Amino acid sequence: METMLISKQRMIVMRLKGEIDHHTAGGVRKQLESEIKKSGAVNIALDFKEVTFMDSSGIGVIIGRYKTVTALGGSIVIYNASEQIKRLLEMSGIRKIAIICSTLQEGINIINSSQAIK
């Protein structure tokens, strides 16, 4: 998993690879929490381009980080997800709490426009 920080948006971007299941979800959670504490970021963007499978453990990671970032005034962006993963996100209700889009820039634009409304 690679992470980077986009300072202007106070956003952590994480590229996920492979399966997000009970074997890997804990590592994703720990890495995101550590990066949030180190960087002061309030937004998280998750690149799902190379995710081949996700189960309820992955959904749990997203929900937990949603609680963290919304308490800080931030948002979660999920982009580059396959149709299969998008269906899972839809069925699990994640679409109600996260921005699901095609590109990182699209997610940044949505965050920026929602902050302008506030």
Side-chain angles (χ1 to χ4, degrees):
M1 291 170 285
E2 296 174 41
T3 60
M4 68 176 181
L5 177 67
I6 302 175
S7 297
K8 185 177 180 187
Q9 272 72 38
R10 296 178 61 197
M11 177 180 283
I12 295 166
V13 179
M14 178 179 273
R15 282 196 184 106
L16 301 166
K17 294 181 181 182
E19 297 183 356
I20 310 299
D21 58 16
H22 69 280
H23 297 292
T24 60
V28 173
R29 179 185 49 78
K30 287 177 186 173
Q31 189 170 356
L32 284 170
E33 289 294 332
S34 174
E35 292 292 329
I36 289 169
K37 288 176 185 169
K38 277 193 314 191
S39 68
V42 298
N43 297 301
I44 295 173
L46 302 172
D47 183 349
F48 271 60
K49 184 177 184 175
E50 296 183 50
V51 173
T52 56
F53 173 81
M54 184 170 71
D55 67 9
S56 61
S57 300
I59 298 296
V61 168
I62 295 168
I63 291 170
R65 283 354 82 212
Y66 165 77
K67 291 176 181 178
T68 300
V69 298
T70 55
L72 299 170
S75 300
I76 292 185
V77 173
I78 298 170
Y79 67 102
N80 277 337
S82 69
E83 290 305 314
Q84 177 184 357
I85 299 291
K86 284 181 188 175
R87 278 194 305 277
L88 175 63
L89 296 171
E90 183 71 39
M91 289 187 312
S92 65
I94 294 297
R95 185 172 291 282
K96 294 176 186 173
I97 65 170
I99 299 164
I100 300 174
C101 52
S102 299
T103 67
L104 176 58
Q105 188 59 54
E106 183 183 349
I108 289 171
N109 292 345
I110 292 168
I111 288 172
N112 289 340
S113 66
S114 69
Q115 289 174 347
I117 295 170
K118 291 180 184 177

